[in-house]
Amino acid sequence: VTTWWARHAWLGGNATAAGVVLEAEAGRFTRVDPGVAAPPAGARVLEGLTLPGFANAHSHAFHRALRARTHDRPGSFWSWRDLMYEVADRLDPDGYRRLARAVYAEMALAGYTAVGEFHYLHHGPGGVPYDDPNQMGLALVEAAAEAGIRITLLDTCYLRGDVDTPLAGVQRRFGDAGVDGWVERVSGLTEIDGAAIGAAIHSVRAVDAKAAAVVSAWAGDRAAPLHAHVSEQRREHETSVKRCGRTPLQLLDRAGALGPAFTAVHGTHFDEKDVERLAAAGGGCCACPTTERDLGDGIGPFAALAAAGVRLCLGSDSHAVVDPLEEARALEVDGRASGERRGVFTPDALLRAATVDGMAALGWDSGRLAPGTRADFVVVGLDGARTAGCDPGQAATAVFAATAADVTDVVVGGRPVVEAGHHRTVGDVVGALSAAVGAVVG
Ligand SMILES: [Zn+2]
């Protein structure tokens, strides 16, 4: 049994609790008691503000290699995608593992304790499978284990370049031999220890209705998380309506994708009916605000989704920024800029999106400081310039003042991963990132 005493901890709501005893055994909390004035004997003292571990519900690890390398020219998501493909083309299983290990270690330092990796770079050059056709996915699972964070490998079906366009160039590495090939390959992944397996439909561009139905049924049979990019781009949304007479979400609904295990990633250009449809199905929506702003996607109808009862979560997606607190803050402040009003989301709602609701979207019983749940938590330091003078009794101090740089300690399954800002197993995260990115950008 390990015991901690947190000077301040967020247990839900807009206020924080003082003097909270946390006890864990076999990776789960066995006791969470607020209002304990002094640390019990033998307890580790957590200064600052303790919160549940953050969930990164949408990640493409290798996109990290593009950070700050695409800003010297105008363009859109589509021109950025060409640059991203160049990086994808240079990765082999070993380089992929090294890059993902460094990126997941960066995530750990930032307070993420679980990642949902939307994984579509499956095969070797020209689309030729590796000896083990899941070698690239396994590289990601190994990388997460080395970085000390949980992973939900969202193995992504990606079968065509666009409606009526076959896979071309580097995209051939993303494809399988039809949806049956995807099923056969992914079914070989179910025995992995320490990682959850989920499914993803890349988009209605890349997966036709029949294949989307097969992927949905595969996930449904296993009660596995099912994610899909939906209406990220205006062009994608409008093309779907023009060519199929239906929005991307409508197409996915007809394929049987929607339900409580479904997460729509982005939803930037959802119409009102999409919002109602997703809410009625009990599905969730993953906002990726720092990527959506970086790519010029637009700002999604997140306030409307939340008002309709859709569970929101957050992802750092392209990793233009890796900061769960910035991601949570953006949900509110981007909405302020576009909606011309403040306070749509409470600090409590923002932190729930960053923690428990993201964990649920990834299939993890985590993201709360509560007995029985997984002992994943982070400590946000309150002794820095950004948080000085802020009220430790307010959850807003974490979400409206602190950044990833204020995260001091990270514990996953009761085991310390980051201590006093130092990653215990990876050690030199900066060196690991520099080397791994350098190897793929040339
Ligand atoms: Zn994505």
Side-chain angles (χ1 to χ4, degrees), residues 167-390:
L167 296 172
V170 68
Q171 289 177 337
R172 291 163 70 193
R173 300 188 64 179
F174 311 162
D176 289 292
V179 73
D180 295 340
W182 178 86
V183 167
E184 192 188 328
R185 184 177 55 72
V186 175
S187 297
L189 274 170
T190 49
E191 297 302 314
I192 296 168
D193 277 347
I197 304 298
I201 294 164
H202 181 274
S203 58
V204 299
R205 279 182 286 121
V207 180
D208 64 67
K210 251 167 115 178
V214 173
V215 176
S216 302
W218 186 91
D221 287 348
R222 287 157 184 76
L226 174 64
H227 290 212
H229 291 133
V230 193
S231 296
E232 175 178 9
Q233 300 300 317
R234 187 178 297 283
R235 180 173 114 185
E236 169 202 348
H237 186 90
E238 289 176 353
T239 304
S240 174
V241 172
K242 213 164 106 192
R243 297 183 69 158
C244 310
R246 295 188 170 86
T247 67
L249 193 76
Q250 268 182 297
L251 292 174
L252 290 166
D253 194 13
R254 284 169 66 90
L258 272 56
F262 177 74
T263 298
V265 180
H266 302 298
T268 318
H269 298 284
F270 274 166
D271 64 22
E272 280 172 32
K273 287 235 163 60
D274 288 332
V275 171
E276 286 167 23
R277 191 179 301 273
L278 189 57
C285 184
C286 181
C288 305
T290 65
T291 289
E292 288 153 7
R293 58 165 89 135
D294 183 74
L295 294 177
D297 289 344
I299 298 171
F302 302 122
L305 284 161
V310 172
R311 184 191 68 234
L312 296 178
C313 59
L314 294 157
S316 69
D317 191 0
S318 70
H319 316 308
V321 172
V322 170
D323 184 339
L325 295 165
E326 172 60 24
E327 225 62 69
R329 177 161 53 242
L331 202 53
E332 165 66 15
V333 297
D334 289 357
R336 287 182 189 178
S338 64
E340 300 177 48
R341 66 190 172 112
R342 305 176 88 236
V344 172
F345 293 99
T346 60
D348 175 61
L350 297 173
L351 287 174
R352 275 188 284 119
T355 58
V356 64
D357 291 344
M359 293 295 180
L362 298 178
W364 293 106
D365 174 19
S366 178
R368 290 186 304 140
L369 303 180
T373 63
R374 292 176 190 270
D376 305 340
F377 63 87
V378 306
V379 181
V380 172
L382 299 176
D383 55 353
R386 280 177 291 274
T387 51
C390 297

